[in-house]
Amino acid sequence: MDQSQMTLVGRPTTNLELKESTKGKKYLQFTLAVNNGYGKWKHTLFFPCWAGENVGRRMVNGKIKKGSLITIYADFDVEERAGKGGSIKEY
């Protein structure tokens, strides 16, 4: 089976907190800010990240906070979602 993988080094934009779905499943959702490029081409990319309960709980218990430098090894997937006004956005 082919699978897309990526490694990101960045900083969460908020403090991490487990959330609960409407079905009672716990999960972690946050945005990771990653600096890219250098000099006049330096810019920040923002990646939406999700983790299930086990990984999410380890991250929260590991005292990862807003601005902590972390490395994430993850599967990569692009999803289409309807934005405001019905426009389609890829994440």
Side-chain angles (χ1 to χ4, degrees):
M1 177 171 107
D2 292 335
Q3 194 168 11
S4 299
Q5 301 250 316
M6 63 190 298
T7 302
L8 297 171
V9 178
R11 300 175 189 277
T13 60
T14 59
N15 287 324
L16 303 184
E17 183 180 328
L18 280 177
K19 299 177 182 179
E20 191 169 322
S21 72
T22 55
K23 295 182 179 181
K25 301 263 185 184
K26 294 197 184 279
Y27 66 96
L28 180 65
Q29 181 179 1
F30 63 97
T31 300
L32 190 70
V34 176
N35 291 328
N36 195 29
Y38 59 92
K40 67 179 182 179
W41 295 281
K42 186 175 181 180
H43 59 283
T44 303
L45 301 171
F46 295 92
F47 292 88
C49 300
W50 293 267
E53 182 175 4
N54 292 338
V55 172
R57 191 171 302 283
R58 288 197 320 255
M59 291 178 74
V60 170
N61 291 343
K63 308 281 192 241
I64 296 171
K65 302 212 181 310
K66 176 182 178 180
S68 299
L69 186 63
I70 62 174
T71 301
I72 294 178
Y73 303 98
D75 297 334
F76 177 71
D77 197 8
V78 176
E79 295 180 7
E80 287 186 354
R81 294 191 182 171
K84 292 182 181 177
S87 62
I88 300 297
K89 295 184 177 186
E90 291 185 350
Y91 294 92

